[in-house]
Amino acid sequence: MKAVIFRRHGGLENLEIVDDYPEPEMGQSDCLVRVRAVSLNGFDPQVLNGIPGMKTPLPMIPCGDVAGEIVAVGASVKNRKVGELVSIVPFLDGKIMGETTLGGCCELISLPEEGVLPIPADLSVVDAAALPIAYGTAWRMLGARGNLKKGERLLVVSATGGVGVACVQLGKMLGAEVIACGTGSWKLDRLRELGADDVFDLESEGIASAIHARLGKPRHDGTGGVDVAVNFTGGDTWVPTLRSLRRGGRLLTCGATANYAPAEDLRYVFSFELNIHGSSGWTIEDQAQVLDFASSGKVKPAVHAIRPIDEYADALQELMARKVIGKSIITL
């Protein structure tokens, strides 16, 4: 079958598109899925380069976000049928597709019945492929962990990536006043189009100073600042984000893309009684929920570009060059 693979870690030169990769074996409880669309994520170039401390089986097929059509089912499969369009659950049995087990940028994948979710009839496979990792992660942060409410003020730090864009859209869907920051005027303009009420450029404004100028400096009487902040970068943005929260505010984090051991200032945590909520990935229920949101029109996945599988390397290069906002889709 046709597949994108890499046999060793390194740069784009290690990517191959092959036509003779072995088709997957299918067990009695498995579904065989013809892949129709996949989307790229920020961890794809990291896995290609090699993540210290993480064992990646080689050769590896990239991409964890997958949508396709069931073409065969095992004898023990009860609730799925041939011809059904499905969204693949990327995280099963402690392994993540495209990271620690084979991804979906190939013609066929086989996985247990519990690893596929039906795509609602009015949702395209392209939109379905954009949703699981970024939107599932964002929804878990804002919904299950952050309990974001209508009318609250939400700050999304580094909002121009997949999860950040999803936080902007889902935050707006929940009725929050959304303030987003990032770099690049065209990206900030796009965030406004996607629902951000206000934006600012991190190259010209600091996080805390920007929030203080707009909403007032947080005070012990509860005035000033934002109710909720999303920060999955860490590093130099961590303490300024703390300084942007009102008394009793909530800081949500699902990662540390800049630095997992940032400087800390506990004075803000205890004196303003701040709440820090960690959020680890997403659940199958979270994935089903964002599929429903998209199907009902409550949120429209932000698709940056759609390319054929032969242009996977071009799509990854564009992602690495930070020229993407939203999700890059590969169709097969």
Side-chain angles (χ1 to χ4, degrees):
M1 67 173 180
K2 193 169 190 175
V4 174
I5 67 170
F6 57 91
R7 305 177 195 272
R8 61 187 64 82
H9 293 296
L12 295 172
E13 69 279 0
N14 290 320
L15 291 172
E16 302 176 49
I17 299 177
V18 299
D19 293 313
D20 58 352
Y21 197 86
E23 293 187 3
E25 298 180 359
M26 188 179 71
Q28 293 293 303
S29 61
D30 291 346
C31 298
L32 184 67
V33 176
R34 171 69 170 85
V35 176
R36 298 299 184 190
V38 299
S39 72
L40 278 62
N41 285 284
F43 64 74
D44 290 330
Q46 298 173 10
V47 177
L48 173 60
N49 187 60
I51 298 176
M54 187 180 79
K55 179 67 174 177
T56 301
L58 297 173
M60 171 56 75
I61 298 174
C63 294
D65 282 326
V66 185
E69 178 185 356
I70 295 177
V71 293
V73 295
S76 301
V77 174
K78 298 179 180 179
N79 298 313
R80 302 273 71 86
K81 61 183 184 294
V82 171
E84 192 172 18
L85 295 178
V86 291
S87 169
I88 304 308
V89 179
F91 185 59
L92 281 177
D93 299 326
K95 296 181 179 180
I96 299 179
M97 292 177 61
E99 272 196 15
T100 52
T101 191
L102 291 177
C105 200
C106 56
E107 291 182 314
L108 294 167
I109 58 173
S110 179
L111 66 165
E113 179 180 6
E114 61 268 24
V116 298
L117 292 172
I119 296 175
D122 51 355
L123 188 64
S124 72
V125 291
V126 166
D127 283 350
L131 288 167
I133 294 176
Y135 286 81
T137 297
W139 175 244
R140 182 153 193 84
M141 270 199 297
L142 297 180
R145 300 295 294 151
N147 193 26
L148 182 67
K149 298 180 179 66
K150 182 178 180 179
E152 289 190 312
R153 291 165 167 169
L154 170 67
L155 167 64
V156 184
V157 176
S158 299
T160 56
V163 174
V165 167
C167 284
V168 169
Q169 292 183 280
L170 293 171
K172 195 62 181 175
M173 182 198 75
L174 290 171
E177 178 185 342
V178 180
I179 303 172
C181 63
T183 57
S185 59
W186 72 271
K187 292 183 180 181
L188 298 178
D189 290 343
R190 181 66 175 134
L191 289 176
R192 285 189 183 276
E193 294 173 1
L194 292 170
D197 295 285
D198 197 359
V199 298
F200 62 92
D201 196 318
L202 287 171
E203 291 184 345
S204 58
E205 292 189 78
I207 293 171
S209 59
I211 295 301
H212 296 174
R214 287 160 171 79
L215 304 177
K217 189 174 181 180
R219 300 188 180 279
H220 288 283
D221 63 3
T223 59
V226 297
D227 301 282
V228 180
V230 169
N231 184 316
F232 44 77
T233 61
D236 294 340
T237 67
W238 186 255
V239 171
T241 302
L242 290 175
R243 294 178 56 207
S244 302
L245 286 163
R246 69 162 180 83
R247 183 182 177 91
R250 289 134 33 223
L251 194 159
L252 314 177
T253 183
C254 68
T257 57
N259 182 356
Y260 69 87
E264 186 61 277
D265 193 329
L266 294 176
R267 295 174 300 173
Y268 293 101
V269 178
F270 67 73
S271 63
F272 284 90
E273 298 185 334
L274 301 180
N275 301 279
I276 299 174
H277 299 270
S279 184
S280 181
W282 71 102
T283 65
I284 292 177
E285 291 77 17
D286 296 323
Q287 185 170 333
Q289 183 66 76
V290 295
L291 285 167
D292 180 68
F293 287 150
S295 172
S296 62
K298 293 181 179 179
V299 66
K300 172 68 174 174
V303 174
H304 172 79
I306 303 173
R307 291 182 171 90
I309 187 173
D310 291 336
E311 296 179 17
Y312 175 82
D314 294 334
L316 191 62
Q317 172 61 54
E318 189 178 43
L319 180 68
M320 294 165 64
R322 300 182 180 275
K323 295 180 179 180
V324 174
I325 183 164
K327 301 293 288 183
S328 284
I329 306 294
I330 299 295
T331 55
L332 292 87

